[in-house]
Amino acid sequence: LDEVQTLTEAFQKMESVIRERTALLEASNRRLDQASQAKGMYLISMSHELRTPLNAIIGFAEVLLESGSEKSLSEYQSDRLLRILKSGKHLLELINSLLDLSKIESGQMEVQKTKFDIENLLKDVLELLEPLMQEKSLRQELIIQSEHQIMLYTDYGKLRQVLINLLGNAIKFSEPEGQIGINCRKDETGISIAIEDSGCGIPEEEQQQIFEAFHQAESSTDNLQNGTGLGLALVKSIVALLGGAVSIESKYGTGSKFTLHFDHKVNSYS
């Protein structure tokens, strides 16, 4: 009887300790959530404050360049204005990406789903980026593996943003006269969109790290000035927000393939 009582007391003491630790853990998690939300709100506020003067700088630089053709700016002056404009747009891209990531982390990014034909979206994005492909003489190939329209039910604007980002990277890291392919298919698992390039590829040990904020693969060293290091982090966050997944297949020196996948449950609009 004494042994049973001893075990009972020990069990009750253990249960009390577990309850206390659980309460402490829950309180800690609440503080972490509050800190994360506060950080998100701060970044959102800061981003808005920075964008206003930055847009003014970009606007004035554009006006000066346009008027410079009439007032004959010197080559040096035009070059410096172009640098200001390029740097301003780069910084604005960084701020916009930070703003989007902050909204997602703080739960303030809204998703507005609509039903649309994905082929039309892909053609729209290709048409938008065609001048960049022409600059490098890149060939493009769009394959829709379906006899019927592939309809997707998700946020059109956000998926468009993801595709522009992935295709922009494919163009940026492809060698001149290379090829970019887009393959869209629908099967029993869902809908997939694969974007493949003939660029420099990504080392295997870095293929998961590239989805982290501010990380760029070593293979992209020559292009660091052209990117923010936030693009793929934003892609992963937006795709997750839409209920999808993004994956990568790449071999260093032979190109990369990024695949977006949305299963039928996510794509249901009935």
Side-chain angles (χ1 to χ4, degrees):
L1 186 61
D2 290 340
E3 291 180 357
V4 172
Q5 185 176 355
T6 301
L7 287 172
T8 301
E9 290 175 353
F11 177 78
Q12 290 174 341
K13 185 181 294 185
M14 186 185 301
E15 190 177 26
S16 176
V17 170
I18 291 173
R19 280 199 300 269
E20 290 176 6
R21 297 290 171 84
T22 300
L24 288 172
L25 182 59
E26 289 175 348
S28 177
N29 286 336
R30 284 194 296 272
R31 287 194 295 271
L32 286 172
D33 287 340
Q34 291 170 355
S36 179
Q37 290 179 1
K39 181 194 74 173
M41 291 301 296
Y42 170 75
L43 286 173
I44 290 171
S45 175
M46 180 190 71
S47 298
H48 282 299
E49 292 295 326
L50 288 172
R51 283 200 301 179
T52 301
L54 188 56
N55 278 318
I57 292 170
I58 292 171
F60 285 131
E62 289 175 338
V63 169
L64 287 170
L65 281 169
E66 289 174 2
S67 61
S69 58
E70 300 174 0
K71 298 181 180 179
S72 301
L73 286 174
S74 69
E75 185 177 339
Y76 176 84
Q77 290 171 327
S78 296
D79 176 70
R80 290 303 181 268
L81 281 173
L82 282 170
R83 291 190 184 194
I84 291 171
L85 186 60
K86 183 178 180 180
S87 297
K89 288 183 176 180
H90 177 80
L91 184 55
L92 184 61
E93 179 187 351
L94 173 61
I95 291 171
N96 287 335
S97 296
L98 274 172
L99 181 60
D100 285 340
L101 280 172
S102 299
K103 284 182 177 179
I104 292 172
E105 288 180 359
S106 61
Q108 295 189 32
M109 178 74 80
E110 295 182 357
V111 174
Q112 299 178 341
K113 290 188 174 185
T114 57
K115 179 184 174 184
F116 57 89
D117 182 351
I118 198 165
E119 183 175 1
N120 291 336
L121 171 59
L122 293 172
K123 287 180 177 178
D124 173 42
V125 173
L126 282 170
E127 183 178 348
L128 176 70
L129 298 178
E130 187 174 5
L132 297 178
M133 287 187 275
Q134 289 178 345
E135 285 180 9
K136 301 181 76 171
S137 300
L138 297 174
R139 301 181 303 278
Q140 59 171 281
E141 183 179 34
L142 173 60
I143 299 174
I144 307 295
Q145 291 185 266
S146 175
E147 296 180 358
H148 308 286
Q149 285 183 317
I150 299 180
M151 305 301 294
L152 194 58
Y153 183 62
T154 189
D155 191 308
Y156 183 97
K158 290 180 176 56
L159 182 56
R160 184 176 185 272
Q161 181 181 356
V162 166
L163 292 170
I164 289 173
N165 194 304
L166 291 177
L167 274 168
N169 279 348
I171 294 169
K172 181 165 62 177
F173 296 115
S174 287
E175 295 296 328
E177 300 185 356
Q179 179 165 321
I180 291 174
I182 303 177
N183 188 308
C184 181
R185 61 179 296 175
K186 181 178 181 180
D187 56 27
E188 65 278 0
T189 66
I191 296 173
S192 297
I193 307 168
I195 298 172
E196 189 167 5
D197 64 57
S198 55
C200 53
I202 300 169
E204 186 176 354
E205 62 272 15
E206 294 195 33
Q207 290 180 17
Q208 294 307 313
Q209 297 175 17
I210 60 171
F211 291 106
E212 298 174 3
F214 300 108
H215 181 87
Q216 289 183 306
E218 289 184 4
S219 58
S220 64
T221 300
D222 295 335
N223 297 280
L224 285 176
Q225 71 276 14
N226 296 326
T228 63
L230 285 173
L232 290 176
L234 187 57
V235 163
K236 183 178 180 181
S237 295
I238 292 177
V239 172
L241 182 68
L242 299 179
V246 57
S247 60
I248 177 177
E249 297 175 42
S250 183
K251 186 175 181 181
Y252 186 61
T254 61
S256 304
K257 179 168 75 172
F258 288 85
T259 302
L260 307 176
H261 183 78
F262 299 90
D263 63 34
H264 290 302
K265 184 178 179 181
V266 171
N267 194 43
S268 174
Y269 48 79
S270 57

